[in-house]
Amino acid sequence: MLVRQITKDTTLCMSLAGRPGNFGTRFHNYLYEAMGLDYLYKAFTTSDLESAIAGVRALGIRGCAVSMPFKEQVIDYIDKLNHSAQVIQSVNTIVNDNGYLSAYNTDYIAIETLLKQYQVPTHLSFALRGSGGMAKAVACALKQAGFNKGTIVARNEQTGNSLAKLYDYDWQSSTDNLNADFVINVTPIGMQGPNEQDLSFPETMIDNAQVVFDVVAMPELTPLIKQAQTQGKTVIKGSEVFALQAVEQFALYTGQRPDDELFAKAAAYARGA
């Protein structure tokens, strides 16, 4: 087996997440090897975000993907917010140019692409569960796409109500007495870990929905996605979001973009398919 050589000149990219997974690591490293790029990608977590970002800057780490729960906190340590991150006030991508850190939000691009790809009708009412950084990107994409009737479901009244008011949506602290045509989970419910077996929406809401979207990427088939699939609903998976936003990150880090066939192969490999 040929082992790719890592040298002092190898460019390092990384991710920071509360619960690191292997999707991004597999996706990026697959493309680096396939495209002959001297890059390496590694996933990390941290309990000291400020020092971690200082390390990105000081060590010349080219790119850093940012996942829950750091997407908003990381703004304090960035030199420049590009338009997507500035508007949404959430960061999922950092690019390091000789110690100058620029931030982007490629989640928005992924959500926008998937709404068009699945041709989700904009007249549908939606329930968006969550009010963190990813929820901001999803809410912005929904509004820009033309979805005008929606409810933000968040226990935190300050962040939930603030997000709802920003885009002229409703807010509820729970899913009680709520129904929607389109349900979207942007919380860690269903993610690998302590909440892996939990449904992010009540079964009755899933029964009544036409389209079900879960941004959780690992596992690919969350309890929400499984439940929706058994009922023949249109489903959008978190792994699709992750792959689309990751290829945008890849282009920002390397200045290159894989063709559609190679992208599909990398996404399948990252999913373990």
Side-chain angles (χ1 to χ4, degrees), residues 173-186:
S173 61
S174 74
T175 57
D176 292 348
N177 302 313
L178 180 64
N179 274 308
D181 305 313
F182 182 17
V183 298
I184 310 150
N185 175 47
V186 287

PDB file of all heavy atoms in Angstrom, residues 173-186:
ATOM      1  N   SER A 173     -41.387  28.215  21.703  1.00  0.00           N
ATOM      2  CA  SER A 173     -40.361  27.593  22.542  1.00  0.00           C
ATOM      3  C   SER A 173     -40.367  26.077  22.424  1.00  0.00           C
ATOM      4  O   SER A 173     -39.397  25.417  22.809  1.00  0.00           O
ATOM      5  CB  SER A 173     -40.555  27.987  24.003  1.00  0.00           C
ATOM      6  OG  SER A 173     -41.820  27.537  24.475  1.00  0.00           O
ATOM      7  N   SER A 174     -41.447  25.502  21.882  1.00  0.00           N
ATOM      8  CA  SER A 174     -41.544  24.053  21.726  1.00  0.00           C
ATOM      9  C   SER A 174     -42.392  23.742  20.489  1.00  0.00           C
ATOM     10  O   SER A 174     -42.937  24.640  19.846  1.00  0.00           O
ATOM     11  CB  SER A 174     -42.178  23.413  22.965  1.00  0.00           C
ATOM     12  OG  SER A 174     -43.572  23.672  22.998  1.00  0.00           O
ATOM     13  N   THR A 175     -42.505  22.456  20.197  1.00  0.00           N
ATOM     14  CA  THR A 175     -43.306  22.030  19.044  1.00  0.00           C
ATOM     15  C   THR A 175     -44.777  21.812  19.399  1.00  0.00           C
ATOM     16  O   THR A 175     -45.547  21.364  18.555  1.00  0.00           O
ATOM     17  CB  THR A 175     -42.749  20.722  18.461  1.00  0.00           C
ATOM     18  OG1 THR A 175     -42.716  19.722  19.495  1.00  0.00           O
ATOM     19  CG2 THR A 175     -41.336  20.923  17.911  1.00  0.00           C
ATOM     20  N   ASP A 176     -45.161  22.143  20.614  1.00  0.00           N
ATOM     21  CA  ASP A 176     -46.548  21.938  21.053  1.00  0.00           C
ATOM     22  C   ASP A 176     -47.529  22.654  20.122  1.00  0.00           C
ATOM     23  O   ASP A 176     -47.348  23.828  19.788  1.00  0.00           O
ATOM     24  CB  ASP A 176     -46.739  22.451  22.477  1.00  0.00           C
ATOM     25  CG  ASP A 176     -45.975  21.627  23.509  1.00  0.00           C
ATOM     26  OD1 ASP A 176     -45.481  20.537  23.144  1.00  0.00           O
ATOM     27  OD2 ASP A 176     -45.871  22.094  24.663  1.00  0.00           O
ATOM     28  N   ASN A 177     -48.556  21.920  19.709  1.00  0.00           N
ATOM     29  CA  ASN A 177     -49.636  22.471  18.879  1.00  0.00           C
ATOM     30  C   ASN A 177     -49.127  23.088  17.578  1.00  0.00           C
ATOM     31  O   ASN A 177     -49.728  24.029  17.052  1.00  0.00           O
ATOM     32  CB  ASN A 177     -50.430  23.522  19.669  1.00  0.00           C
ATOM     33  CG  ASN A 177     -51.029  22.978  20.941  1.00  0.00           C
ATOM     34  OD1 ASN A 177     -51.629  21.907  20.945  1.00  0.00           O
ATOM     35  ND2 ASN A 177     -50.827  23.698  22.043  1.00  0.00           N
ATOM     36  N   LEU A 178     -48.036  22.544  17.056  1.00  0.00           N
ATOM     37  CA  LEU A 178     -47.456  23.089  15.830  1.00  0.00           C
ATOM     38  C   LEU A 178     -47.491  22.046  14.721  1.00  0.00           C
ATOM     39  O   LEU A 178     -47.152  20.887  14.937  1.00  0.00           O
ATOM     40  CB  LEU A 178     -46.006  23.516  16.080  1.00  0.00           C
ATOM     41  CG  LEU A 178     -45.245  24.105  14.884  1.00  0.00           C
ATOM     42  CD1 LEU A 178     -45.890  25.406  14.416  1.00  0.00           C
ATOM     43  CD2 LEU A 178     -43.783  24.347  15.261  1.00  0.00           C
ATOM     44  N   ASN A 179     -47.901  22.475  13.546  1.00  0.00           N
ATOM     45  CA  ASN A 179     -47.826  21.631  12.358  1.00  0.00           C
ATOM     46  C   ASN A 179     -47.234  22.456  11.231  1.00  0.00           C
ATOM     47  O   ASN A 179     -47.393  23.687  11.183  1.00  0.00           O
ATOM     48  CB  ASN A 179     -49.211  21.112  11.952  1.00  0.00           C
ATOM     49  CG  ASN A 179     -49.578  19.836  12.688  1.00  0.00           C
ATOM     50  OD1 ASN A 179     -48.804  18.881  12.684  1.00  0.00           O
ATOM     51  ND2 ASN A 179     -50.735  19.828  13.332  1.00  0.00           N
ATOM     52  N   ALA A 180     -46.522  21.797  10.323  1.00  0.00           N
ATOM     53  CA  ALA A 180     -45.906  22.491   9.201  1.00  0.00           C
ATOM     54  C   ALA A 180     -45.760  21.525   8.039  1.00  0.00           C
ATOM     55  O   ALA A 180     -45.647  20.306   8.232  1.00  0.00           O
ATOM     56  CB  ALA A 180     -44.548  23.053   9.601  1.00  0.00           C
ATOM     57  N   ASP A 181     -45.739  22.077   6.831  1.00  0.00           N
ATOM     58  CA  ASP A 181     -45.574  21.257   5.634  1.00  0.00           C
ATOM     59  C   ASP A 181     -44.123  20.799   5.454  1.00  0.00           C
ATOM     60  O   ASP A 181     -43.857  19.799   4.792  1.00  0.00           O
ATOM     61  CB  ASP A 181     -45.984  22.061   4.394  1.00  0.00           C
ATOM     62  CG  ASP A 181     -47.391  22.620   4.489  1.00  0.00           C
ATOM     63  OD1 ASP A 181     -48.290  21.858   4.868  1.00  0.00           O
ATOM     64  OD2 ASP A 181     -47.581  23.814   4.180  1.00  0.00           O
ATOM     65  N   PHE A 182     -43.210  21.555   6.030  1.00  0.00           N
ATOM     66  CA  PHE A 182     -41.775  21.369   5.811  1.00  0.00           C
ATOM     67  C   PHE A 182     -41.096  21.481   7.171  1.00  0.00           C
ATOM     68  O   PHE A 182     -41.155  22.530   7.812  1.00  0.00           O
ATOM     69  CB  PHE A 182     -41.300  22.469   4.850  1.00  0.00           C
ATOM     70  CG  PHE A 182     -39.857  22.452   4.439  1.00  0.00           C
ATOM     71  CD1 PHE A 182     -39.058  21.337   4.601  1.00  0.00           C
ATOM     72  CD2 PHE A 182     -39.291  23.588   3.860  1.00  0.00           C
ATOM     73  CE1 PHE A 182     -37.727  21.355   4.203  1.00  0.00           C
ATOM     74  CE2 PHE A 182     -37.976  23.620   3.454  1.00  0.00           C
ATOM     75  CZ  PHE A 182     -37.182  22.497   3.631  1.00  0.00           C
ATOM     76  N   VAL A 183     -40.496  20.384   7.656  1.00  0.00           N
ATOM     77  CA  VAL A 183     -39.834  20.418   8.966  1.00  0.00           C
ATOM     78  C   VAL A 183     -38.327  20.286   8.784  1.00  0.00           C
ATOM     79  O   VAL A 183     -37.854  19.505   7.962  1.00  0.00           O
ATOM     80  CB  VAL A 183     -40.373  19.342   9.930  1.00  0.00           C
ATOM     81  CG1 VAL A 183     -41.853  19.572  10.215  1.00  0.00           C
ATOM     82  CG2 VAL A 183     -40.152  17.938   9.406  1.00  0.00           C
ATOM     83  N   ILE A 184     -37.595  21.080   9.549  1.00  0.00           N
ATOM     84  CA  ILE A 184     -36.140  21.165   9.398  1.00  0.00           C
ATOM     85  C   ILE A 184     -35.497  21.111  10.774  1.00  0.00           C
ATOM     86  O   ILE A 184     -35.772  21.961  11.634  1.00  0.00           O
ATOM     87  CB  ILE A 184     -35.746  22.496   8.706  1.00  0.00           C
ATOM     88  CG1 ILE A 184     -36.559  22.720   7.442  1.00  0.00           C
ATOM     89  CG2 ILE A 184     -34.244  22.510   8.402  1.00  0.00           C
ATOM     90  CD1 ILE A 184     -36.796  24.174   7.120  1.00  0.00           C
ATOM     91  N   ASN A 185     -34.634  20.145  10.981  1.00  0.00           N
ATOM     92  CA  ASN A 185     -33.906  20.038  12.246  1.00  0.00           C
ATOM     93  C   ASN A 185     -32.502  20.605  12.094  1.00  0.00           C
ATOM     94  O   ASN A 185     -31.728  20.154  11.263  1.00  0.00           O
ATOM     95  CB  ASN A 185     -33.803  18.579  12.700  1.00  0.00           C
ATOM     96  CG  ASN A 185     -32.940  18.447  13.944  1.00  0.00           C
ATOM     97  OD1 ASN A 185     -33.103  19.206  14.900  1.00  0.00           O
ATOM     98  ND2 ASN A 185     -32.008  17.506  13.934  1.00  0.00           N
ATOM     99  N   VAL A 186     -32.186  21.610  12.923  1.00  0.00           N
ATOM    100  CA  VAL A 186     -30.834  22.169  12.928  1.00  0.00           C
ATOM    101  C   VAL A 186     -30.265  22.142  14.351  1.00  0.00           C
ATOM    102  O   VAL A 186     -29.519  23.024  14.753  1.00  0.00           O
ATOM    103  CB  VAL A 186     -30.799  23.597  12.348  1.00  0.00           C
ATOM    104  CG1 VAL A 186     -30.978  23.578  10.856  1.00  0.00           C
ATOM    105  CG2 VAL A 186     -31.866  24.481  12.983  1.00  0.00           C
TER     106      VAL A 186
END
